[in-house]
Amino acid sequence: MAGTSEQFPVRVLGGPTALFAYGGLRFLTDPVFDPPRDYHVPGGRLTKTAASSAAPATLGPVDVVLLSHDEHPDNLDDSGRALLADVPLTLTTPGGAKRLGPGATGLADWEAVELARPGGGTITVTGVPALHGPGAREDVEPVTGEVVGFVLTGEELPTVYVSGDNASLGLVEEIAGRFGPVDTAVLFAGAPRFPQLFDGALIVLDSAQAADAARILGARRVVPVHYDGWAHFTEGRDDLIAAFAGAGLLDRLDLGERV
């Protein structure tokens, strides 16, 4: 498949949410747009500390939502759920598709769908493995749930990886083996931890691991998301900049538009 390294704007809206146009379609990742508030979840509380930089009504049409998982409000909140009703297609986990119903399609690991591009041609979206915590899948998923990442490819289009809430560099290596080098990697970071989960171990990449993932993927550009706006994120913008600078990869870091 012929590709290109041409870059395209990625608009980072806060938390895990980013908007980008690719192959003539508009994609939105994990939509969260509620105002700052507390969410009561099994075993504790999640606190949103900052508003998103845009409201759903200002985004314009969205063709596809790439939803890493539907079970946590810091990846899909009430406003995000309402937005899904106006989006033709939501790609997510197989279990999430069952819960969300019509308009949602589940992707198992390495399962792909083809999307028609305006004017002809297709975009292939492949579901890729993600693990929302440390250890083996059979130990992690009963606690934090099923998660999926995505790789987007197409004729004369750059290769794009959207990690979702993934904590495993081993899985990143598998993805790189199939799709690398990657042109744009949208990496979920923020180093979230909870004392009551996995003895406080990371449940998504920290900043140093995000830089490692960039190297493993051979990513020409990394757009980090999922590192601000929530109290359980323990690392932010400055940590990402420091980690990428320390790894000699600062020129690949794109913090996105926050307008």
Side-chain angles (χ1 to χ4, degrees):
M1 177 181 293
T4 177
S5 60
E6 180 181 355
Q7 292 188 353
F8 52 91
V10 179
R11 184 180 178 190
V12 178
L13 305 178
T17 310
L19 178 70
F20 59 90
Y22 176 87
L25 299 178
R26 300 181 84 233
F27 291 82
L28 185 71
T29 66
D30 289 18
V32 291
F33 294 101
D34 288 352
R37 54 170 284 196
D38 289 338
Y39 298 86
H40 295 284
V41 297
R45 179 178 65 183
L46 295 178
T47 300
K48 186 174 184 180
T49 60
S52 304
S53 65
T58 68
L59 299 181
V62 174
D63 298 299
V64 183
V65 166
L66 302 175
L67 177 61
S68 70
H69 59 301
D70 68 304
E71 296 174 278
H72 299 154
D74 59 327
N75 297 89
L76 180 67
D77 63 8
D78 295 338
S79 299
R81 287 180 185 274
L83 177 146
L84 296 186
D86 297 322
V87 175
L89 177 63
T90 297
L91 297 176
T92 189
T93 64
K98 292 178 182 177
R99 287 185 290 271
L100 294 171
T105 295
L107 293 178
D109 293 350
W110 315 118
E111 183 178 6
V113 295
E114 289 197 348
L115 310 179
R117 297 174 60 180
T122 60
I123 295 167
T124 300
V125 182
T126 303
V128 296
L131 197 57
H132 200 356
R137 172 168 288 184
E138 58 267 25
D139 298 323
V140 171
E141 289 189 349
V143 178
T144 52
E146 182 184 32
V147 179
V148 65
F150 307 93
V151 171
L152 283 62
T153 55
E155 190 73 26
E156 298 185 352
L157 290 173
T159 299
V160 178
Y161 168 51
V162 178
S163 73
D165 275 6
N166 174 55
S168 170
L169 289 177
L171 292 180
V172 173
E173 290 177 349
E174 290 186 32
I175 293 160
R178 296 195 183 212
F179 293 100
V182 165
D183 295 284
T184 294
V186 179
L187 294 182
F188 288 41
R193 307 171 187 267
F194 294 92
Q196 68 272 30
L197 296 181
F198 310 113
D199 295 322
L202 291 167
I203 60 171
V204 181
L205 301 179
D206 66 14
S207 301
Q209 289 172 327
D212 285 342
R215 176 185 52 77
I216 291 166
L217 293 161
R220 297 180 176 91
R221 174 176 60 157
V222 172
V223 181
V225 298
H226 194 270
Y227 64 86
D228 65 350
W230 292 82
H232 59 290
F233 297 162
T234 67
E235 294 183 2
R237 180 181 186 275
D238 291 346
D239 300 287
L240 283 160
I241 291 172
F244 274 74
L249 300 173
L250 189 58
D251 61 331
R252 304 189 195 187
L253 189 65
D254 179 356
L255 295 174
E257 305 170 12
R258 293 184 175 272
V259 295

